[in-house]
Amino acid sequence: MSSIRLLPETLISQIAAGEVVDRPASVLKELLENSFDSGATEIGVTLSEGGVKQIRVVDNGSGIARDDLPMAFARHATSKIASLDDLEQVRSLGFRGEALASIASVARVGLASRSAGADRGFAIRAEGGSIGGVEPAAQPAGTAVEVDDLYYNTPARRKFLKSEATEFGHCEGVFTRAALSRPEIALSLKHNGRVVARFGPGDAAKRVEAALGEEFARSMRTVSANGVLKLSGFAGSPAYTRTNRDTQFVYVNGRFVRDKLLAHALREAYRDVLHGERHPAYVLFLEIDPRAVDVNVHPAKTEIRFRDPRAVHQFVLHAVTKGLSGAAGETPAAIATPVAEGHAVTPRAVQPALGLAQPTASYTALFADLRANLQPAPPGASAAETPPLGYALAQLYGIYILAQNREGLVLVDMHAAHERILYEKLKGALDSRAMNTQKLLIPATFHADRVDVATAEEHGMTLNQLGFDVAAISPFALAVRAVPSMLADADASLLARALLRDIREYGASRVLTERRDELLGTMACHGAVRAHRALTIPEMNALLREMEETERSGQCNHGRPTWFQMTLADLDKLFMRGR
Ligand code: ADP
Ligand code: MG
């Protein structure tokens, strides 16, 4: 074995760069954070070739003094904290002092700056870890950072970059996240010479509208709660839902985060007002004492840890639920859940008048003979031949199938049951590489963002394996040309979107391995009969027969039961019929 040696400084930075700057978008994120920390009121971003060729960020912030310029590229050099105490209360976005050093180790970087009050600007270059001298430069107050040829010296890492469109898509995402968090800062984004976005300074609501569109802005409700914590922002009404999680923005002390705890609290808040596979949209800002949250969990700082997770969960859940309950303006129809009203039980107070005084014995006598003559649905089938789940009688509220079997009443959640059947069948088909596909007579086209289009192109093989044929028909539109035959009735574009979302989030290979069951679950959910679809009695019976033949059909893939048995004895007890 070789002897133990200290690693060269540049190599250390390159290793660190793997965590901090894994793609152009993360470089952009670091540069934007530096500009935010500098107190800038105007920031311009220019990208070329998805940010791989160049990322340039220009701000009008505090600037860097001439003598500090070389330090900006030094590892662990920061102007933002000086002690552990500072770290515990950090409010700036940066503090680790490693972004510029990491970027400079894997790209050619130029930095020009003029600090407030200085009468001229200076520039410095860094390339592959070596830092050049400080030279005078024509530069207005503020800082301009230019990152060229990302990973020019680390080809292994460069290989991991995706298409230009994908990388740009990620950069655009970072830009939008940043823009949403600071509505008072004017921001612009250019790609390959074209202006992609330009936001003037304004208030939070205006920025949300500019960045996420008018439709969301019209639907959103204001969230505002003040206590030990403070939550503000906007929650999309349940009527405005998305097929993916791309419109979910949560910030903690101004920092965009992906936090399981907060995501869970939000899912809970929407649970009763959202259906199925749809995702809510929101832009929320949590303010919390910096000492009560640890942002130093990972270099990219999108992971955080709360000192008192339960309190945060409760607070957020409560605040968003309140916001959604329509405190702002009128309640949209979707919140008033007609189904819930349908289930309303007659007030208890009325019941005793009907119930207890009834002479139950006479009822028993009255029905005793009748019961013996009750026929199962298809006349002629003898009790012994009745299949386990019996025969369908009717559909309730377009949600449940009522069936009669030997024991009594069977209640089936038709969507959940169908979902389970499809899931098992899809699994079988994928395992035996026998996914039958069906060409769509009219391809389903839908609007897609650049990343989706690029994902569909890059992962055509994976999509084929899953029974899909998805083709780009423009840089912003995809067409679904074939779907698995089992899912022929599903909304093909919803299905394709869900699939692309998973591939984007987890990568094609994980989607087919460790994520496979979740993915098949999503597909099954889309393919299963929706609530409120009227089924005929033969259709219902067919579903019951399929259930009997499907493994584990007693539970849908979310673990909820798919059917219940209510025996005659159960029913008798309900009606207090002494037998
Ligand atoms: P950090 O942001 O964690 O301090 P960076 O490597 O990102 O570390 O930046 C190093 C230092 O360079 C910062 O602490 C700051 O003093 C200075 N700096 C970088 N970008 C800017 C900017 N746009 N405006 C002013 N100062 C900047
Ligand atoms: Mg920084």
Side-chain angles (χ1 to χ4, degrees):
M1 198 185 289
S2 355
S3 52
I4 303 177
R5 278 170 304 220
L6 268 177
L7 292 172
E9 194 66 14
T10 308
L11 185 54
I12 297 178
S13 290
Q14 285 172 341
I15 293 169
E19 289 192 308
V20 189
V21 287
D22 59 347
R23 61 178 357 147
S26 29
V27 174
L28 178 61
K29 171 177 178 281
E30 294 295 336
L31 299 183
L32 281 171
E33 289 189 353
N34 282 347
S35 293
F36 283 179
D37 285 345
S38 79
T41 57
E42 245 185 86
I43 301 170
V45 177
T46 315
L47 305 171
S48 68
E49 294 178 20
V52 181
K53 186 90 203 82
Q54 185 179 77
I55 301 171
R56 191 177 150 78
V57 176
V58 180
D59 68 50
N60 66 349
S62 64
I64 304 170
R66 181 189 191 284
D67 296 343
D68 284 344
L69 275 179
M71 282 304 282
F73 288 115
R75 241 160 43 86
H76 307 307
T78 178
S79 58
K80 297 167 192 175
I81 57 169
S83 67
L84 184 62
D85 210 33
D86 288 351
L87 176 60
E88 282 177 353
Q89 346 196 353
V90 68
R91 282 210 173 263
S92 58
L93 295 168
F95 56 80
R96 296 170 66 110
E98 60 185 358
L100 287 181
S102 298
I103 296 167
S105 72
V106 292
R108 304 182 223 273
V109 184
L111 190 158
S113 193
R114 186 166 123 197
S115 57
D119 52 5
R120 59 189 311 188
F122 294 91
I124 185 169
R125 292 199 62 83
E127 193 171 321
S130 66
I131 302 171
V134 175
E135 284 166 17
Q139 162 73 22
T143 305
V145 183
E146 193 176 301
V147 176
D148 293 307
D149 305 321
L150 190 59
Y151 305 135
Y152 76 99
N153 57 349
T154 46
R157 189 155 278 285
R158 202 182 168 103
K159 271 216 308 266
F160 280 102
L161 290 177
K162 302 281 192 270
S163 67
E164 174 176 332
T166 301
E167 295 304 338
F168 174 68
H170 286 288
C171 289
E172 199 181 17
V174 161
F175 179 85
T176 305
R177 293 205 278 272
L180 283 170
S181 74
R182 302 293 291 269
E184 74 283 6
I185 300 178
L187 279 152
S188 65
L189 174 66
K190 262 193 197 172
H191 184 223
N192 293 341
R194 266 191 40 239
V195 176
V196 182
R198 190 187 292 283
F199 304 137
D203 62 14
K206 256 181 77 184
R207 177 60 55 92
V208 167
E209 178 172 351
L212 301 181
E214 202 191 337
E215 200 192 333
F216 174 62
R218 247 182 299 140
S219 99
M220 70 197 186
R221 284 130 200 293
T222 307
V223 173
S224 166
N226 241 317
V228 206
L229 312 176
K230 194 171 162 243
L231 188 72
S232 63
F234 306 96
S237 90
Y240 180 90
T241 56
R242 320 293 296 159
T243 50
N244 58 40
R245 298 185 190 86
D246 290 356
T247 321
Q248 302 184 343
F249 300 87
V250 181
Y251 300 81
V252 173
N253 293 345
R255 189 188 300 283
F256 176 84
V257 297
R258 296 178 204 283
D259 181 70
K260 286 213 176 77
L261 175 94
L262 294 174
H264 184 265
L266 282 152
R267 254 200 320 278
E268 287 284 291
Y270 274 95
R271 199 174 62 176
D272 292 338
V273 289
L274 264 198
H275 297 288
E277 278 295 292
R278 307 290 294 179
H279 297 282
Y282 43 75
V283 182
L284 295 165
F285 302 95
L286 182 70
E287 292 291 326
I288 180 170
D289 180 346
R291 279 167 301 203
V293 55
D294 186 0
V295 291
N296 195 21
V297 181
H298 183 268
K301 306 189 208 82
T302 49
E303 277 172 54
I304 49 170
R305 232 169 255 148
F306 293 106
R307 298 269 143 85
D308 187 356
R310 272 190 46 168
V312 174
H313 187 276
Q314 282 304 100
F315 182 82
V316 171
L317 171 59
H318 189 76
V320 176
T321 307
K322 205 176 98 211
L324 283 177
S325 73
E330 94 286 31
T331 309
I335 283 193
T337 47
V339 177
E341 272 168 29
H343 285 314
V345 209
T346 322
R348 286 227 162 262
V350 186
Q351 282 181 352
L354 286 173
L356 298 178
Q358 301 285 345
T360 47
S362 63
Y363 273 94
T364 314
L366 189 63
F367 284 101
D369 303 350
L370 265 179
R371 180 168 294 163
N373 296 327
L374 285 178
Q375 297 269 347
S382 78
E385 289 164 13
T386 308
L389 293 175
Y391 293 106
L393 299 169
Q395 206 182 2
L396 182 68
Y397 273 100
I399 299 172
Y400 299 104
I401 294 171
L402 310 185
Q404 171 182 323
N405 68 356
R406 255 164 297 169
E407 283 76 37
L409 177 68
V410 173
L411 276 160
V412 178
D413 178 332
M414 81 188 187
H415 172 77
H418 193 205
E419 186 176 341
R420 183 81 227 176
I421 293 167
L422 282 177
Y423 174 77
E424 294 294 340
K425 282 190 173 172
L426 285 166
K427 213 152 98 173
L430 191 62
D431 284 345
S432 54
R433 301 184 176 273
M435 190 71 85
N436 288 327
T437 66
Q438 179 161 331
K439 275 211 151 52
L440 299 179
L441 266 175
I442 304 165
T445 58
F446 60 94
H447 183 84
D449 65 13
R450 288 187 184 81
V451 181
D452 275 341
V453 173
T455 308
E457 287 185 325
E458 273 171 49
H459 301 294
M461 292 276 283
T462 306
L463 289 165
N464 288 346
Q465 227 175 313
L466 289 163
F468 287 83
D469 178 4
V470 182
I473 49 172
S474 89
F476 301 102
L478 287 170
V480 189
R481 298 191 297 209
V483 297
S485 326
M486 274 179 253
L487 305 176
D489 290 336
D491 181 326
S493 51
L494 273 184
L495 207 51
R497 277 176 201 264
L499 210 59
L500 290 171
R501 177 191 70 213
D502 263 40
I503 297 178
R504 269 170 77 163
E505 206 163 309
Y506 302 101
S509 58
R510 282 180 68 197
V511 157
L512 287 178
T513 52
E514 65 202 81
R515 292 276 314 165
R516 189 190 71 151
D517 292 354
E518 278 93 334
L519 179 72
L520 295 180
T522 309
M523 288 167 59
C525 182
H526 281 282
V529 277
R530 294 277 138 195
H532 309 303
R533 184 162 126 218
L535 294 186
T536 62
I537 296 277
E539 280 176 320
M540 291 190 256
N541 279 327
L543 187 66
L544 294 173
R545 300 296 80 80
E546 294 254 27
M547 286 174 70
E548 287 156 358
E549 276 161 29
T550 303
E551 264 181 81
R552 295 180 291 270
S553 67
Q555 267 162 15
C556 82
N557 12 308
H558 307 300
R560 283 184 275 120
T562 55
W563 65 280
F564 270 111
Q565 171 86 60
M566 288 189 92
T567 62
L568 286 178
D570 293 336
L571 291 168
D572 287 345
K573 230 185 276 160
L574 263 180
F575 291 99
M576 293 181 263
R577 302 182 53 175
R579 298 221 295 138

